[in-house]
Amino acid sequence: MKNPKVQGRKESIISRELTLILTKEIDDVILKAVSISEVRLINDNELAKVYYSFIAFSNQTINQNIVQTHLEEKKNLIRKLLARKLEMRKVPDLSFVYDDSLDRANRIDQILADK
């Protein structure tokens, strides 16, 4: 049986390390705009669902598809860098999922402002 405290601590560590990897260790301007909002470990730590959002710069046209493509292209490198930092026997496979909660919140605010 999983211990929720240990599970939460692992998720938090992975989230923190992924943020550092994306902002400091990978030389990709688009990935520097990515913010990790949550990590969920599933299937006995075999898979980490990484929920992300991004900040679009005014001078560049960055959309969800471009960011997702860059993340998928660099997934193996990110996982390799993550393995060096974690004290886990097996590093989980990474699955990047766009977190649209901010978009939904903005849409609700807009609807309420229109009334």
Side-chain angles (χ1 to χ4, degrees):
M1 182 175 261
K2 295 188 269 189
N3 184 342
K5 273 187 170 179
V6 173
Q7 186 83 0
R9 189 169 54 234
K10 286 179 184 178
E11 292 169 347
S12 175
I13 290 169
I14 291 172
S15 177
R16 183 184 69 230
E17 294 302 333
L18 283 173
T19 300
L20 291 173
I21 288 169
L22 292 175
T23 57
K24 298 186 189 263
E25 296 186 34
I26 293 187
D27 192 26
D28 189 333
V29 176
I30 291 175
L31 293 185
K32 290 190 186 304
V34 171
S35 173
I36 305 298
S37 55
E38 184 179 4
V39 173
R40 289 190 192 149
L41 290 169
I42 55 175
N43 292 343
D44 247 358
N45 300 336
E46 288 182 18
L47 178 67
K49 278 191 161 186
V50 180
Y51 293 87
Y52 71 91
S53 58
F54 62 92
I55 301 168
F57 300 115
S58 59
N59 60 350
Q60 295 180 341
T61 55
I62 298 176
N63 62 29
Q64 178 186 350
N65 293 333
I66 292 172
V67 173
Q68 186 72 33
T69 302
H70 280 253
L71 285 169
E72 291 300 323
E73 288 173 355
K74 304 278 186 180
K75 181 164 51 171
N76 290 334
L77 174 62
I78 294 169
R79 190 168 181 239
K80 181 179 171 184
L81 293 170
L82 185 63
R84 293 180 186 167
K85 297 174 181 278
L86 296 180
E87 295 178 5
M88 294 174 70
R89 189 170 43 137
K90 185 174 184 241
V91 177
D93 192 24
L94 303 174
S95 172
F96 293 99
V97 179
Y98 178 67
D99 183 7
D100 64 347
S101 60
L102 186 60
D103 296 338
R104 286 185 284 153
N106 288 337
R107 195 173 88 230
I108 291 170
D109 284 344
Q110 184 63 39
I111 291 170
L112 293 175
D114 291 343
K115 288 190 173 189

